[in-house]
Structure formats: C-alpha cells, structure tokens
Amino acid sequence: MSTCTADETMTVAASRALRDGTSCFVGIGLPSTAANLARRTHAPDLVLIYESGTLGAKPDRLPLSIGDGVLAETADAVVGVPEVFNYWLQPGRVDVGFLGAAQLDRFGNINTTVIGGDYHHPEVRLPGAGGAPEIAASCREVFVVVRQSTRAFVDRVDFVTSFGHGRGRGEREALGLPGAGPTLVITDLGVLRPDPETGELTLTELHPGVEVDDVRAATGWELRVSPDLDRTPEPTQQELTVLRALEEAR
Amino acid sequence: MATLTTLADAVADLVRDGDQVALEGFTHLIPVAAGHEIIRSGRRDLTLVRMTPDIVYDQLVGAGCARKLIFSWGGNPGVGSLHRFRDAVQHGWPVPLEIEEHSHAGMANRYVAGASGLPFAVLRGYTGTDLARVTETIKPITCPFTGEQLTAVPALNPDVTIVHAQRADRAGNVQLWGITGVQKEAVLAAKRSIVTVEEVVDELDPRPGAVVLPTWAVTAVAEVPRGAHPSYAHGYYERDNEYYRSWDAISRDRGAFDAWLKESVFG
C-alpha cells in the first residue's frame, strides 16, 4: 500500500463517485478538489458547474473560491448568478450536487448556519446557506463529502440549512422536492448511504485500514452497518500523484 | 446620465446614514475601495445587502457602519469564517447586527424582482429548510395556474447599489465582463447607483460576454484603479489569495482589526 492520509483517501473515494459525462454542481473546498481530481483521472468529460455562473469550467489549478478567474477563462459559458440558479439548477438539469457540511445528521440533513444556542444567539455562527439549499433540492442526486467526527455527525442537526431526508423516507416526496437528495456520503473513514427503507445513513464501505468501531466512535448516533459492507479499494499511485500535484499548485 | 466624479464625492452625495446599501460583485469585481470610503465617511445604521459579505462587509461591520445585514453566505471564500461578522452576531461588537438570511437563489431572485419593478419573485426554494422558519421575507405561495406550492421572496430595492467594473467611457457607459454575478440586477433594482471602474476610456470596444450598463441607468461613475483589490478584475489583475488568507488573523482579533482600520483605511 502506498502511504496516504485519510483526507487523500476521502478525496479519491469522492472523485470516483463522479461518473464521466455527467454534470456536477460543485461546492468549494473538498467537493471542488474531488471533482477536479475526477476530471483529471477517470472522468475527463465531467461537466463542472460553479454557482458563480461558470458552466463547464476546466480549471488547470484548484480554484480557491467558487468565483476564481480561472473558472471563467476555461468555461463553456459564463452566465449571471440569477441564470445559473433559475435556468440551470432549478429545472433539474444537473445530475449531481456535490456539497460539504459543517454538521450532517442521521438522515442526511445539512447544517452550515449555526451551532449551539438558538438561531439568534448561536454559540457558533457559520457562513450560512450559499447555493446549497437549492442544490440539495434540485440536483438529481446529492453527494456529501465531510470529515467524520461526533461533532459533525449528529443525530439531529441544530439547523436544517439544506434538506436531506428530513426524519425519514418519503418526506422529500411529500414536500415535492424534485431530486433524490443525498445518496452518498463520503468521509475520511468510509462511505455511508441512506437505507432504502428508512433513509437513515448506514455505513456501506470502510476505507483501507479503518474498522467499524472507528467509524462508530466518530458518529453521534447509533450507527447501522450494512450487511454487505465493502472495502474501498486503495487509492492508486496515479490518483495520488494527480491529487498531490493539484494540492501543491494551489 | 451618469456623472463622472470622484469616489469620495460619490459616496458623500449618494450614501446616507440609515440607507439600505448593496455592494455587489460575486468573488470578482468586489467594490472594496468604495467600502473603505464608506467607512472613512463615518456612515452609520446602514442596512448592508450582499450575497457574499466577503472581506469588504467584514470590514464595514467591524467598523460599526451597519445595523443590519441581508445576505446568503457570510464566509471568507476558501479560507474560513468572517470573524468581525461572527463577533457582531455572537457578541454584538462593536454594535449589534440584525441579520436577514437567505440562500443565493433567493437573493438573486430578490434582485431580479427589484430590477423588474415587481414586488416579489417566485422560486422553487427553501423547501424543508429552517431558513423558511427564521426569515420573515420567505413565504409560501400557491401557483394560481397549477396549484403548486412555491416560495415567494420580496424585491430588493436598495437606496444605493455600488459595483466595480473594468471600464467606462467618458459618457458614463459602463462595461464589465468575466463573472458578472448579480451586478446588473443590483444596479437596476436600486434607487441610486455608483460604479467604480478600473479606467475611463474613449471607446468601449466589444468584449465577449460583456454586460453594458448604459449611462442613463447609472447615477455616478468614479475611476478607481485596483478598486476591487483584494478581489480581482478580469483582464487587469488577479485575486490576491494571500490577502484573503492573511485577513483571517486580522479579523480574529479586535485589536488587530482596529490597528488595520487605522493604518489601511484612515492612514
């Protein structure tokens, strides 16, 4: 095994989830790194859409923000912000919404707004929603990439910034949300998917060198484990080489 | 017709205490120099509107210019938090800050309604989220044709919108290109507008994808080279990512921020 960090395994696993030829609405940070890795490895025709209005961006380095000039220079089209949300995201044209989270709960709801206290007197004020609520609502499916810890993986988020599966299967349909919501959560320890019956996030894959107890210890609810638990294939040398080159050029 | 003037005169004439003020520019072309001019002019009780408050509103909030913030994502892009904004929300320092919080889609549509002369905009948004619970300006609405439940958000019509652009001609026609964000909508939604530009030129030769704001849609134009720094101006200079990183330490500490204000804004 080539030695690599848990973050690298997470980013590689997240990049592999993106299929070539699909379109992906990319959040900044971990999702953007993984999406750019995918485009440089197995998915050269992955269409990257950033909320700054850059459609089909092909950056030659990792953008620090969602509005970096390199995105506009390399995009198939640059449109205004009202257009990217109204014409491109809202009608359900985008295959995958790729998001991060400060807090994620057992049913895949995302919080990036406030932690602790109440909304008007929070213990920690986070940046807020950005494009995420509508990305989570309108993309055909949503992938979340987030480091796993009991602080981040909670039974119930303090604030629902972006709706996942509410408190269980059927809630999205009842609310009329068009997309399937979170179908995949990739962490630095493994991969979780919503249970087909209940919608509860369930451990379906372990990263190399990680055991179920490690994941349980980093989860703030009683984690269910799939009977068909898989092992994530180790990152290849090529994946790591490309990822490290991206990070270094940042 | 737009008046060609200086930034100091434009802010003195057009930005008043208690105004609702929007400084727009989505990562690109953020009117940072205009923000500093507002701080220098000592304006108070402003309602600041901006999708991504960014460093420029962290500075205005930290300097005590704002009473309220209407926004959708208040972070330091690619770096982390805006600590002056956090300090104001969590501890009321230097003055309490009321917030009205939306998503990007909601804010963009609020500007579109404002630019369109409509009282509100309709979108498929906020469904199932707690934003709809805590923000008064998010309401359900039923489509009169299909019966579908949708979301309504009210128009934004700022007293003043300020944007930065690459160029204007001597008649005050403004041209901007690259990532154009919501600048056109924010200017057209506003009662008054100020555009700072990298340069004033004799003729605006065409640029791919450019947005042109005709002089009769703008109140004042001021030439302010590097007026978007540390954000960037496509074709002029790149984003100063190091500045965004270094802002983290300055904004974390009230003393460091005050020292920065004295040196960089009032110095």
Side-chain angles (χ1 to χ4, degrees), chain B residues 191-234:
Chain B
K191 299 178 181 78
R192 307 182 289 276
S193 59
I194 300 171
V195 183
T196 57
V197 295
E198 287 299 320
E199 58 176 340
V200 174
V201 297
D202 290 329
E203 198 176 344
L204 298 174
D205 57 310
R207 296 297 169 114
V211 166
V212 173
L213 297 167
T215 179
W216 52 272
V218 174
T219 315
V221 171
E223 190 176 56
V224 186
R226 294 188 65 79
H229 178 267
S231 82
Y232 70 103
H234 204 119

Side-chain angles (χ1 to χ4, degrees), chain A residues 42-57:
Chain A
H42 69 281
D45 292 325
L46 181 68
V47 178
L48 305 186
I49 299 169
Y50 288 83
E51 65 196 15
S52 53
T54 50
L55 310 179

Side-chain angles (χ1 to χ4, degrees), chain A residues 28 51-54 61 64-73 78-83 85-86 89-91 112-114 119-134 137-138 157-163 175-178 250, chain B residues 26-28 51-52 71-81 85-86 89-90 99-106 108-109 112 122-131 133-135 148 178-182 185 209 232 234 238-239 241-242 244-245:
Chain A
I28 206 64
E51 65 196 15
S52 53
T54 50
R61 59 182 186 276
L64 184 70
S65 81
I66 40 80
D68 274 20
V70 68
L71 300 175
E73 282 158 16
V78 182
V79 301
V81 169
E83 180 174 334
F85 284 103
N86 287 352
L89 178 64
Q90 187 166 261
T112 55
T113 304
V114 286
Y119 173 73
H120 294 285
H121 305 91
E123 280 167 30
V124 181
R125 175 65 233 194
L126 301 168
E134 285 75 27
S138 295
V157 286
D158 295 347
F159 189 95
V160 179
T161 311
S162 301
F163 193 83
L175 286 169
L177 289 167
R250 190 195 279 266
Chain B
F26 203 86
T27 308
H28 178 214
M51 292 181 64
T52 58
F71 75 108
S72 44
W73 192 83
N76 180 345
V79 179
S81 291
F85 159 63
R86 271 174 75 154
V89 173
Q90 293 172 214
I99 58 171
E100 180 178 326
E101 186 166 7
H102 280 266
S103 67
H104 280 351
N109 277 289
V112 169
V122 175
L123 70 154
R124 251 190 220 105
Y126 302 102
T127 308
T129 72
D130 283 335
L131 280 169
R133 186 171 56 77
V134 299
T135 301
E148 187 180 353
I179 289 170
T180 54
V182 286
E185 291 79 6
Y232 70 103
H234 204 119
E238 305 229 324
R239 190 171 188 267
N241 288 335
E242 199 40 55
Y244 276 86
R245 290 190 187 101

Side-chain angles (χ1 to χ4, degrees), chain A:
Chain A
M1 173 183 165
S2 51
T3 53
C4 65
T5 67
D7 267 9
E8 287 175 332
T9 304
M10 168 173 63
T11 304
V12 167
S15 79
R16 288 173 182 164
L18 298 167
R19 293 190 306 280
D20 198 18
T22 59
S23 54
C24 179
F25 208 111
V26 191
I28 206 64
L30 295 170
S32 179
T33 305
N36 279 285
L37 175 61
R39 230 182 49 74
R40 278 171 179 71
T41 51
H42 69 281
D45 292 325
L46 181 68
V47 178
L48 305 186
I49 299 169
Y50 288 83
E51 65 196 15
S52 53
T54 50
L55 310 179
K58 293 166 278 291
D60 58 7
R61 59 182 186 276
L62 282 181
L64 184 70
S65 81
I66 40 80
D68 274 20
V70 68
L71 300 175
E73 282 158 16
T74 60
D76 298 326
V78 182
V79 301
V81 169
E83 180 174 334
V84 76
F85 284 103
N86 287 352
Y87 296 179
W88 297 92
L89 178 64
Q90 187 166 261
R93 290 180 215 282
V94 183
D95 294 313
V96 177
F98 204 6
L99 298 173
Q103 256 189 352
L104 180 81
D105 73 21
R106 152 184 219 151
F107 291 99
N109 303 296
I110 293 173
N111 174 17
T112 55
T113 304
V114 286
I115 291 185
D118 67 33
Y119 173 73
H120 294 285
H121 305 91
E123 280 167 30
V124 181
R125 175 65 233 194
L126 301 168
E134 285 75 27
I135 295 172
S138 295
C139 289
R140 294 196 178 99
E141 57 184 327
V142 175
F143 299 166
V144 184
V145 55
V146 56
R147 293 184 189 95
Q148 197 155 355
S149 71
T150 49
R151 282 184 61 193
F153 277 62
V154 294
D155 182 54
R156 210 170 179 140
V157 286
D158 295 347
F159 189 95
V160 179
T161 311
S162 301
F163 193 83
H165 299 288
R167 297 316 293 166
R169 279 281 181 216
E171 285 203 19
R172 290 186 68 88
E173 292 80 356
L175 286 169
L177 289 167
T183 55
L184 196 62
V185 176
I186 304 111
T187 81
D188 49 348
L189 300 177
V191 175
L192 300 88
R193 290 180 173 82
D195 181 89
E197 301 291 319
T198 65
E200 179 177 330
L201 290 178
T202 304
L203 183 67
T204 58
E205 247 181 73
L206 279 172
H207 291 334
V210 178
E211 298 308 327
V212 170
D213 283 349
D214 301 332
V215 190
R216 284 212 164 105
T219 307
W221 69 86
E222 202 165 316
L223 181 68
R224 288 160 44 94
V225 179
S226 164
D228 309 314
L229 188 63
D230 282 334
R231 272 283 167 197
T232 310
E234 285 182 16
T236 66
Q237 198 53 57
Q238 190 228 356
E239 286 168 327
L240 290 173
T241 303
V242 174
L243 173 59
R244 286 168 187 168
L246 270 174
E247 297 276 15
E248 268 167 34
R250 190 195 279 266

